[in-house]
Amino acid sequence: MDINIARHSLAHVLAQAVMEMFPGTKLGIGPCIDDGFYYDFDLPEPLTQEHFPEIEKRMGQILKSMSPLTREEYPSKEAALAAFAGQGYKEELIRDLPENEKCTAYHTGEGFTDLCRGPHVENTRELLSWAYQIHSVAGAYWRGSEKNPMLTRLYVYAFPKRDELKAHIAKIEEAKKRDHRKLGPQLDLFFLHETAPGMPYWLPKGLKLFNTLLDFWRKEHEERGYQEISAPLINNHSLWVTSGHWNHYRDIMFSIPPQEEGETTQAIKPMNCPNAMNVYNRTVRSYRELPLRYSDCDVLHRNELSGTLHGLFRVRMFRQDDSHNFITREQIPSEINAILDIADRFYDIFKLSYKPVLSTRPEDFMGDPELWEEAERELRGILGKRFGEDGYTVNEGDGAFYGPKIDLIMTDALGRPWQTGTIQLDFQLPHKFGLTYADRDGTLKEPVVIHRVIYGSLERFIGILIEHFAGAFPFWLAPVQIGVVPVRETHNDYACDVMSVLRKAGLRCEGLMEDEGMGGKVNKFRQAKVPYTLVLGDRETEAGTVSVKIRGGKQAQDVPLEAFVKACAGLNEGQSLELAEDF
């Protein structure tokens, strides 16, 4: 049985149960999602978690009725509207159907009918062995627009077997413990405030983490011939008209209307592409300069709907580890492979695996279809040669409006997929901006542009890392790498000397000098998930050594300070995921 057919059939069963329990309910939609389905309702009274067991019980009774699910095709929209009279949301969906599309519904026995394309199982008996659980209730705007009414959305897990449901719930519980929205503030990394929705405040420790990732990114890219640039945050809207972004992104751009007569609309940039085109176009270019790789990490803003904002995963202010690589057509395979080499390097450091997905021409594409086909052929050939024909998947119609792309789908410690990096092959923007280079024979040709990110949004990537490591970062990435705990106040001077040595070696440390119990100070660093905590008492002060509490529970006594520093420097240099235990 197809898992989505079963889940969507269960969504109808949920809708029937809610309709029977709450007379007067108006139905929205009930699509499948990765771990089950949801259904939106306009209810005559509030629904809470206390109702979940009763709804699930009623669903079980409907399944046991062994009712057939039968399809009905209406001869006209008018007939369908008559059948769903009083169900305003269904009426709206019916009116919005294309004229050539058939209007269909499914009946569950004789007691329930729902507007639906289908398909569904033939009988509810086929779902008796399925395991499901209503797990949350939330508000959701009808059709995702804040201009529409707020509906009640019920989320349901649904799996073919009870063991699969239990395993999924266990993974969800573990994910809750790792939730970056809780761990981030607890670890003093960042916080969000109601006065700036979707725009994180980075605290000192969080900014150290952010800058460590960025420093590593800069070093690795400079070694590969990338040149970092920065461009204006606010641009005249004509820039976005030229690039084509104004038609595609205007609704999520923060715009500044004209302040005086003769001025035109300005906009805060939501992406870096058009600015990179201007940087390239400032002078005459030669084939000898290509590949020309302009990287930048400017702040970007997108006015995402408030209902879609989610911690660091979906924000309105963010930075990308962006680059626009200007190349000749002959350089496409080598350049994309070089970018994939960077992705291998970056993800392997965190033990994150990825799979490539090729996204092809969307309906609202820009430019010549033949160039699109050429670009897609290039990418298919590169992916097939590097990963094998079964080593990548294709997402038809999901490319950027200016070119096809390779999305890198990363898998974290809990097996959850995340779209992070992307590599976009673009023949269109160079043409729109009139970019050229002088070839060997002196003729002017258009370059090809590769838009690419590896981390993606740094905010999002950090959110992923917080959850991937459950806040226990590798030593090289940890905001505070070493905690220093003098046993008594008399040991504070030695503690200061130790911290001075650590800082001169480029190590990030923090000391707790206040006169309180040693156990309490050690516990503070443990709760902060600091990799190493140094305990300094009489013996250590006299011998010039340190006693080391290693995150996870192990300890090392009387370690020479020089040996400890050398081990830590090695962890930084090698970006190791494991902590040294022998000094």
Side-chain angles (χ1 to χ4, degrees):
M1 181 192 306
D2 183 279
I3 193 168
N4 285 328
I5 290 176
R7 283 173 170 165
H8 193 49
S9 301
L10 279 168
H12 279 231
V13 174
L14 171 69
Q16 181 177 350
V18 171
M19 287 278 287
E20 291 175 356
M21 289 176 57
F22 297 89
T25 292
K26 291 182 172 57
L27 301 176
I29 57 173
C32 299
I33 51 179
D34 287 343
D35 57 5
F37 58 91
Y38 67 78
Y39 210 111
D40 292 340
F41 303 97
D42 189 342
L43 295 160
E45 61 183 272
L47 187 152
T48 66
Q49 291 187 354
E50 284 69 33
H51 293 102
F52 292 0
E54 189 179 351
I55 297 173
E56 290 173 357
K57 180 180 178 181
R58 182 63 194 128
M59 288 177 68
Q61 292 169 347
I62 293 169
L63 294 180
K64 289 176 183 177
S65 70
M66 299 188 184
S67 301
L69 277 78
T70 55
R71 181 176 184 271
E72 178 178 359
E73 181 179 315
Y74 297 102
S76 63
K77 283 189 178 182
E78 290 71 22
L81 288 168
F84 286 91
Q87 284 288 335
Y89 304 103
K90 298 296 184 183
E91 291 175 313
E92 181 179 326
L93 293 174
I94 292 167
R95 292 191 187 97
D96 289 347
L97 281 174
E99 290 301 323
N100 60 349
E101 186 167 340
K102 296 175 181 177
C103 187
T104 60
Y106 278 79
H107 305 284
T108 307
E110 297 179 357
F112 179 72
T113 302
D114 197 359
L115 184 73
C116 190
R117 291 188 181 94
H120 289 283
V121 299
E122 293 185 1
N123 193 292
T124 59
R125 74 165 67 89
E126 298 176 51
L127 304 172
L128 281 171
S129 62
W130 270 65
Y132 54 87
Q133 178 179 309
I134 304 171
H135 63 88
S136 60
V137 59
Y141 289 107
W142 170 239
R143 289 187 155 183
S145 172
E146 295 181 8
K147 298 176 183 178
N148 291 333
M150 175 73 77
L151 304 182
T152 299
R153 177 171 292 178
L154 277 181
Y155 286 96
V156 183
Y157 299 136
F159 291 88
K161 296 179 180 179
R162 177 65 56 183
D163 287 348
E164 293 179 59
L165 175 62
K166 286 182 178 179
H168 182 72
I169 291 173
K171 187 168 79 170
I172 294 298
E173 291 304 313
E174 178 61 27
K176 287 179 182 178
K177 296 176 188 175
R178 297 168 177 250
D179 191 332
H180 76 282
R181 294 170 297 177
K182 293 169 61 178
L183 284 178
Q186 285 174 11
L187 298 174
D188 289 329
L189 302 177
F190 73 90
F191 73 96
L192 295 160
H193 196 271
E194 60 186 11
T195 56
M199 300 186 186
Y201 281 74
W202 287 103
L203 298 170
K205 291 178 183 177
L207 200 57
K208 285 181 181 178
L209 170 63
F210 192 105
N211 286 334
T212 300
L213 279 173
L214 199 51
D215 289 344
F216 173 69
W217 172 79
R218 286 193 169 110
K219 175 179 177 293
E220 292 289 324
H221 283 76
E222 283 178 7
E223 289 177 359
R224 291 167 171 80
Y226 283 74
Q227 304 175 68
E228 188 172 358
I229 61 172
S230 182
L233 178 66
I234 298 173
N235 298 270
N236 189 292
H237 87 290
S238 62
L239 178 69
W240 312 106
V241 171
T242 299
S243 69
H245 287 93
W246 192 250
N247 289 335
H248 294 81
Y249 283 90
R250 179 171 45 194
D251 291 343
I252 62 166
M253 293 174 74
F254 287 98
S255 298
I256 305 168
Q259 303 298 306
E260 298 178 7
E261 187 176 348
E263 289 187 349
T264 57
T265 299
Q266 307 283 310
I268 302 176
K269 65 177 179 179
M271 71 285 295
N272 296 305
C273 323
N275 297 104
M277 305 301 138
N278 281 348
V279 174
Y280 178 94
N281 222 13
R282 60 182 288 272
T283 187
V284 177
R285 301 292 180 179
S286 164
Y287 73 93
R288 293 184 180 88
E289 298 178 74
L290 308 184
L292 183 59
R293 307 176 181 103
Y294 284 137
S295 62
D296 66 73
C297 199
D298 283 347
V299 178
L300 303 174
H301 292 78
R302 295 181 186 176
N303 192 14
E304 305 284 1
L305 293 173
S306 60
T308 67
L309 300 177
H310 183 83
L312 297 179
F313 291 162
R314 177 70 70 129
V315 291
R316 287 175 171 164
M317 181 184 74
F318 62 100
R319 298 162 181 82
Q320 288 182 322
D321 64 318
D322 218 343
S323 182
H324 295 87
N325 299 7
F326 299 86
I327 61 175
T328 68
R329 293 196 183 190
E330 294 75 23
Q331 292 168 337
I332 290 172
S334 61
E335 190 68 11
I336 288 181
N337 274 297
I339 294 168
L340 289 168
D341 288 342
I342 297 174
D344 290 343
R345 163 79 171 133
F346 274 58
Y347 296 159
D348 186 59
I349 285 174
F350 305 106
K351 291 297 181 282
L352 294 165
S353 61
Y354 75 88
K355 293 199 76 171
V357 176
L358 172 62
S359 297
T360 60
R361 187 174 69 203
E363 290 185 6
D364 61 345
F365 74 95
M366 180 176 74
D368 184 349
E370 290 186 6
L371 283 177
W372 272 85
E373 290 173 9
E374 179 184 341
E376 289 177 14
R377 282 195 302 273
E378 287 274 11
L379 294 183
R380 287 179 191 272
I382 293 166
L383 290 172
K385 189 171 183 178
R386 186 177 182 115
F387 299 99
E389 294 303 323
D390 297 327
Y392 72 96
T393 56
V394 178
N395 190 1
E396 297 289 354
D398 198 44
F401 70 89
Y402 48 75
K405 61 179 180 172
I406 299 170
D407 288 327
L408 307 181
I409 308 301
M410 190 177 67
T411 303
D412 70 6
L414 296 181
R416 298 173 301 179
W418 302 96
Q419 198 266 299
T420 49
T422 188
I423 305 167
Q424 302 171 352
L425 187 56
D426 179 9
F427 290 86
Q428 310 302 331
L429 290 192
H431 182 72
K432 297 279 282 187
F433 281 87
L435 306 188
T436 61
Y437 67 92
D439 206 357
R440 286 180 174 83
D441 59 3
T443 60
L444 293 180
K445 292 185 178 179
E446 283 185 358
V448 177
V449 174
I450 298 176
H451 310 241
R452 46 116 291 181
V453 294
I454 305 299
Y455 291 139
S457 153
L458 268 84
E459 282 75 4
R460 189 164 186 262
F461 194 78
I462 289 172
I464 293 169
L465 290 183
I466 292 171
E467 299 195 2
H468 179 65
F469 292 114
F473 299 108
F475 180 85
W476 73 276
L477 195 57
V480 178
Q481 297 173 312
I482 304 158
V484 178
V485 174
V487 175
R488 290 184 297 277
E489 236 182 313
T490 54
H491 306 119
N492 281 0
D493 287 346
Y494 180 56
C496 289
D497 291 342
V498 168
M499 287 194 291
S500 178
V501 171
L502 296 174
R503 285 169 177 156
K504 285 180 181 177
L507 302 172
R508 298 185 292 276
C509 63
E510 187 176 283
L512 293 176
M513 304 300 182
E514 58 268 24
D515 188 16
E516 64 174 90
M518 182 194 76
K521 291 191 281 189
V522 168
N523 192 48
K524 285 182 180 178
F525 286 125
R526 182 188 64 79
Q527 290 178 340
K529 303 179 187 289
V530 173
Y532 293 122
T533 300
L534 306 185
V535 178
L536 310 177
D538 290 339
R539 188 176 62 198
E540 290 82 10
T541 301
E542 292 170 6
T545 61
V546 294
S547 290
V548 187
K549 290 186 177 294
I550 304 168
R551 185 175 63 198
K554 293 186 178 181
Q555 300 184 42
Q557 304 293 329
D558 303 320
V559 177
L561 180 56
E562 183 180 348
F564 177 74
V565 170
K566 183 178 180 181
C568 290
L571 294 176
N572 270 348
E573 185 177 350
Q575 287 90 32
S576 174
L577 289 184
E578 305 298 327
L579 295 177
E581 297 178 357
D582 297 320
F583 305 98

